[in-house]
Amino acid sequence: MNESLLKKMTGVAVPLGALYTKESPAIGEFPSLKKFAAFCKSAGLKIIQLLPVNDTGTQTSPYSGLSAFALHPIYICVKDLPEFAALYKSDKNFKTEYDLLLQFHPYKGRYDYQGILDKKIALLMRLYQTTDTAATGKPDAALASWMKKNDWIKAYAVYKNLKWKYMQATWKAWKKEDQVPGMEEIERRWNDKALKKDQLFYAWLQMRASEQFAEAAAAVKKAGIILKGDMPIMMNEDSADAWAHPEFFEHSLRAGSPVDGQNPCGQNWGFPTYNWKNLKAAGYSWWIDRLQSAQQYYQAYRLDHILGFFRIWAIPERETTAILGRSEPGQTISRDELIEAGFNEGRIHWLAEPHVPTADIDYFTWNHDASTKLLEKIAVKLPGEELWNFKSSIKGDKDIYEADFKGLCQDEAAQKIKEALAKKWRDRTLREIKKDKFIALWTYQNSYPWTTLNDEEKKKLQALVDQKRDKEEGLWKKQAQDILDSLTKSVDMVPCGEDLGVNLAAVPEVMGKNKILRLNVVRWSRDWGTEGSPYVQFEKYPELSVTTTSVHDSSTIRQWWSEEKESAAAFFKANGKFFADNGIYENNFSDFTEKTARSILEAAASSASLWAIHPLQDFLYLQKKYWLADAKDERVNIPGEVTDFNWTYRMPASVEDLSADKSLIDEINFLAKKRK
């Protein structure tokens, strides 16, 4: 790690696509960073933090990557490519199509991701056709040299070409022979002369993207500014990496997070978990290669969801929720341990197998015979009882939702019945994850079987659960230390970790040992274990940390102040000095103003953290002319929603306009100097 960068600095976080410039009006592009770096330098900002810029295909989320290595072609500046000028001059159709790209620019607060991507890919394909590589089906000297340094390109190019063939469908929907090819088959396809020209398009595309990003990153560094990247912890199942290296992923499991107050079903992200055993056997080479590839551009990086390196919440692939998930690595309770604790086979079955009373389905059908016929589709009736266990063929609630109830009930009733059955499926105290090995659900104390236990049984089962969970913390600490020690030592970049909501003692310990900067979001940095949840004083923030006013998944400070009154009032009370200095007192603190923004940012500037990195939107609140009519429109992402709105935020003014705004620059400079 370059420890010379570990000093007090202020920075800005921004999605690359948001950087609206007059030369790139449709979407921010790699070269846009040059002008933005000039603005940051004049404003005293020393760090630019980007969201991930990897290829995500048709997905707007930068955390849903198709590749851990490939850059997103949407950020390529078409007119800056060496092939552009000649074709633009000689081909009227190409000129017309390129000019249409620029028409995507009228400001609407968001950019048209899919429209811009489709247009750019079409233009880039036209440009590729003018190259010697396309003409001969053989890489020219520059491309051959680049590919030699980026060996991942083979699997990625073969994968992308197949994605094109299958009209962007997930690889799990491809023909069987294309689904899990193995590296030998990938190599054969890569060398297939009939496929070479098309596959080399993706290699050429990545070389050009890399050239533009490297040039922009060099300009940022020359300006004395650190460029900080973002490493999503998980990979999309539909990615070149998960397709080409199945040995590094657990395709039968999905990553997420357990049930909490805001997520009664937990979170199921849909991404496969890692096979850390195989990754460790390979010396964590895939992760190290990933970081070393990123080091071409960045001087610092953010490890997304760092808790996942300690333990991941692993959910069976056939589940839609996270309720039946478990910690991985984790401890199990054996059948013998349960028997020794006094639970006989019948009791174990009651705790671990969901039971469906026929009467529950009678409620929907109003007909006992109809309920019985319906249940026979997916369950087995217990002898002599009006109780049913699910068939062994039911592996998750997806199987329940996909069951064919046609002819047995109306469609509307079928949906309600399936939802009721799925709820029963999840209503258990224990889950048998392999023969004679059980885990207690995160929500086991809310399960119906638990309520039927007597006090002595509850006490004994609780003791078993506590015993296993105490041992798990040691497993998590050991795993994370091994992984993070290997990763952080493999590059010179400064590591940062997103550790929000983590209450494991091992997390700050291991992060500190590996000099990984923690994250402090000012509105959430509270002593949650103390009555009233007082705000942590800024001078008590860890030195090895990053202070920020907002993150990409949260509201901005304007929306926070306007809509989360309790939190805002408590923050005002805890930091009255900064507000008073800006003329804000108890009788006028509730309305969000430019002075409010200045007070919050000034308070954050006083933190003990080495770095303070705030979203661009929060800095723009220093000048009301940059505010949008609706504060919600200034957000980057609203978690839990899949819409065209998410991840397509666009600056309300061009970078050139910001660079000419002396008042804004002076305001930001004032805050930056507060941290020296």
Side-chain angles (χ1 to χ4, degrees):
M1 182 205 304
N2 186 350
E3 295 196 19
S4 68
L5 302 180
L6 295 180
K7 55 188 177 183
K8 282 208 166 186
M9 289 186 280
T10 301
V12 60
V14 64
L16 179 57
L19 294 181
Y20 162 37
T21 69
K22 292 179 180 178
E23 288 187 345
S24 299
I27 187 174
E29 298 170 329
F30 293 123
S32 305
L33 282 167
K34 300 176 189 177
K35 288 187 175 181
F36 189 64
F39 162 74
C40 290
K41 183 176 182 179
S42 65
L45 297 171
K46 298 293 186 182
I47 305 165
I48 297 173
Q49 177 177 315
L50 299 178
L51 290 183
V53 294
N54 297 87
D55 184 7
T56 60
T58 59
Q59 299 288 323
T60 58
S61 171
Y63 295 93
S64 187
L66 292 187
S67 171
F69 302 91
L71 298 173
H72 206 313
I74 202 169
Y75 301 127
I76 293 175
C77 180
V78 175
K79 76 173 185 60
D80 283 0
L81 294 175
E83 297 86 358
F84 175 80
L87 191 60
Y88 186 78
K89 184 178 180 180
S90 64
D91 191 319
K92 289 183 179 180
N93 288 334
F94 179 83
K95 181 181 184 301
T96 299
E97 290 301 310
Y98 176 76
D99 291 345
L100 284 173
L101 173 65
L102 301 184
Q103 293 180 18
F104 279 89
H105 79 275
Y107 187 74
K108 296 177 182 177
R110 323 304 284 186
Y111 57 80
D112 180 358
Y113 176 88
Q114 195 60 52
I116 294 169
L117 178 60
D118 290 345
K119 184 67 68 177
K120 278 200 174 184
I121 293 299
L123 291 168
L124 291 163
M125 283 183 168
R126 292 285 307 280
L127 288 170
Y128 172 67
Q129 296 301 327
T130 69
T131 66
D132 290 342
T133 297
T136 64
K138 296 179 180 179
D140 61 22
L143 183 56
S145 175
W146 184 87
M147 290 192 304
K148 190 174 181 180
K149 298 172 186 175
N150 296 273
D151 194 51
W152 55 267
I153 193 62
K154 295 180 182 179
Y156 171 77
V158 171
Y159 164 82
K160 287 286 283 188
N161 198 44
L162 282 166
K163 286 279 283 183
W164 184 266
K165 170 186 172 182
Y166 287 104
M167 300 179 69
Q168 305 306 319
T170 169
W171 61 264
K172 286 204 166 184
W174 300 353
K175 290 182 180 177
K176 194 170 182 179
E177 62 266 25
D178 293 335
Q179 287 185 6
V180 187
M183 290 310 296
E184 285 188 12
E185 175 61 14
I186 289 173
E187 191 74 29
R188 186 196 69 76
R189 287 172 180 264
W190 172 250
N191 291 316
D192 188 330
K193 291 182 179 179
L195 302 172
K196 199 70 170 180
K197 175 183 173 180
D198 291 339
Q199 290 172 165
L200 283 173
F201 166 67
Y202 298 102
W204 170 83
L205 203 60
Q206 285 302 309
M207 178 184 71
R208 292 300 186 219
S210 177
E211 289 170 347
Q212 287 194 355
F213 194 20
E215 183 181 336
V220 172
K221 187 175 182 179
K222 187 176 180 181
I225 296 170
I226 296 167
L227 190 60
K228 179 184 175 186
D230 194 336
M231 301 287 113
I233 184 170
M234 309 310 302
M235 290 301 304
N236 195 320
E237 177 185 48
D238 186 23
S239 65
D241 302 86
W243 172 75
H245 298 287
E247 70 275 14
F248 293 153
F249 298 87
E250 293 286 3
H251 286 284
S252 64
L253 297 172
R254 294 292 177 269
S257 61
V259 169
D260 59 39
Q262 293 183 324
N263 300 283
C265 291
Q267 294 181 53
N268 186 334
W269 302 328
F271 301 144
T273 62
Y274 287 114
N275 185 321
W276 286 115
K277 181 180 178 181
N278 287 349
L279 281 162
K280 182 176 182 178
Y284 303 114
S285 58
W286 180 83
W287 261 101
I288 289 171
D289 289 347
R290 185 180 180 187
L291 288 175
Q292 290 179 344
S293 178
Q295 190 169 232
Q296 299 174 80
Y297 319 108
Y298 304 116
Q299 291 176 277
Y301 63 101
R302 170 189 178 273
L303 287 170
D304 173 49
H305 190 62
I306 201 166
L307 178 62
F309 293 98
F310 291 77
R311 67 111 174 109
I312 201 72
W313 191 248
I315 307 157
E317 188 270 336
R318 294 297 294 169
E319 295 294 332
T320 62
T321 76
I323 292 174
L324 295 185
R326 70 179 194 269
S327 293
E328 183 63 40
Q331 290 275 301
T332 59
I333 302 170
S334 71
R335 186 178 295 274
D336 288 343
E337 287 175 312
L338 287 167
I339 291 172
E340 190 177 334
F343 297 92
N344 61 29
E345 291 292 348
R347 211 63 169 145
I348 294 171
H349 181 85
W350 173 249
L351 293 169
E353 291 293 330
H355 290 66
V356 184
T358 314
D360 283 10
I361 307 306
D362 286 346
Y363 173 81
F364 296 101
T365 66
W366 296 91
N367 184 301
H368 186 77
D369 290 339
S371 298
T372 298
K373 289 179 181 178
L374 190 149
L375 282 164
E376 285 174 345
K377 285 273 189 176
I378 61 170
V380 177
K381 193 170 184 287
L382 299 182
E385 298 188 62
E386 287 296 336
L387 278 177
W388 302 71
N389 287 150
F390 288 95
K391 291 180 178 179
S392 60
S393 59
I394 303 299
K395 303 298 183 184
D397 63 5
K398 288 181 183 178
D399 297 316
I400 295 172
Y401 290 122
E402 293 171 7
D404 183 5
F405 290 167
K406 286 181 180 178
L408 298 175
C409 58
Q410 297 295 321
D411 289 347
E412 184 178 343
Q415 185 58 33
K416 291 179 179 178
I417 291 168
K418 289 177 180 181
E419 288 171 359
L421 288 169
K423 189 174 181 180
K424 283 292 183 183
W425 169 259
R426 296 188 285 267
D427 187 12
R428 58 181 98 178
T429 305
L430 304 175
R431 180 165 74 85
E432 189 173 17
I433 62 172
K434 55 184 176 181
K435 185 172 173 56
D436 297 331
K437 300 292 182 183
F438 301 83
I439 55 102
L441 266 64
W442 188 266
T443 53
Y444 70 95
Q445 291 182 333
N446 297 327
S447 66
Y448 176 70
W450 171 265
T451 67
T452 66
L453 300 180
N454 61 44
D455 289 344
E456 185 62 24
E457 288 175 318
K458 287 180 179 178
K459 183 178 178 181
K460 288 181 177 179
L461 185 53
Q462 183 70 58
L464 272 176
V465 172
D466 290 344
Q467 175 191 343
K468 299 300 179 179
R469 289 190 173 172
D470 286 344
K471 289 183 178 179
E472 284 181 335
E473 291 222 20
L475 288 176
W476 301 338
K477 177 180 177 181
K478 183 179 179 182
Q479 172 173 284
Q481 179 54 41
D482 187 45
I483 297 169
L484 295 173
D485 179 67
S486 297
L487 301 192
T488 55
K489 286 180 178 176
S490 69
V491 289
D492 291 331
M493 296 184 288
V494 176
C496 305
E498 184 271 292
D499 60 336
L500 299 178
V502 175
N503 57 7
L504 298 179
V507 174
E509 180 185 346
V510 173
M511 290 180 71
K513 186 174 182 180
N514 291 280
K515 295 186 176 180
I516 302 172
L517 276 62
R518 301 177 64 191
L519 183 62
N520 296 286
V521 183
V522 297
R523 72 184 76 172
W524 297 327
S525 293
R526 304 176 71 165
D527 187 352
W528 298 103
T530 301
E531 186 177 353
S533 304
Y535 275 92
V536 176
Q537 296 175 339
F538 284 106
E539 61 267 25
K540 292 185 179 180
Y541 280 17
E543 182 182 33
L544 284 177
S545 71
V546 177
T547 293
T548 187
T549 48
S550 311
V551 293
H552 57 260
D553 281 336
S554 78
S555 58
T556 61
I557 55 172
R558 176 187 169 197
Q559 192 180 13
W560 165 53
W561 200 264
S562 302
E563 299 179 10
E564 299 178 42
K565 297 295 186 182
E566 182 279 330
S567 176
F571 184 84
F572 172 81
K573 186 175 180 180
N575 297 280
K577 174 187 178 299
F578 298 100
F579 291 95
D581 287 348
N582 284 293
I584 301 175
Y585 303 97
E586 201 160 342
N587 65 334
N588 65 344
F589 89 93
S590 60
D591 291 335
F592 187 83
T593 65
E594 294 160 304
K595 290 180 179 179
T596 312
R598 187 177 305 112
S599 301
I600 297 169
L601 289 163
E602 194 174 340
S606 71
S607 79
S609 303
L610 286 176
W611 291 356
I613 305 174
H614 311 304
L616 177 65
Q617 299 95 306
D618 288 357
F619 279 120
L620 294 183
Y621 290 138
L622 295 167
Q623 298 286 329
K624 194 166 185 178
K625 61 186 174 185
Y626 298 121
W627 299 16
L628 298 183
D630 187 343
K632 177 186 174 183
D633 291 337
E634 293 160 334
R635 293 188 62 151
V636 171
N637 179 49
I638 301 176
E641 295 185 8
V642 181
T643 66
D644 292 339
F645 174 92
N646 279 350
W647 310 109
T648 57
Y649 168 74
R650 195 160 174 257
M651 289 169 51
S654 69
V655 175
E656 292 90 343
D657 288 339
L658 296 187
S659 297
D661 190 335
K662 187 176 185 303
S663 180
L664 175 65
I665 288 170
D666 288 346
E667 289 259 28
I668 299 175
N669 258 308
F670 170 78
L671 295 165
K673 289 174 181 176
K674 285 278 184 180
R675 296 194 51 74
K676 292 183 179 178

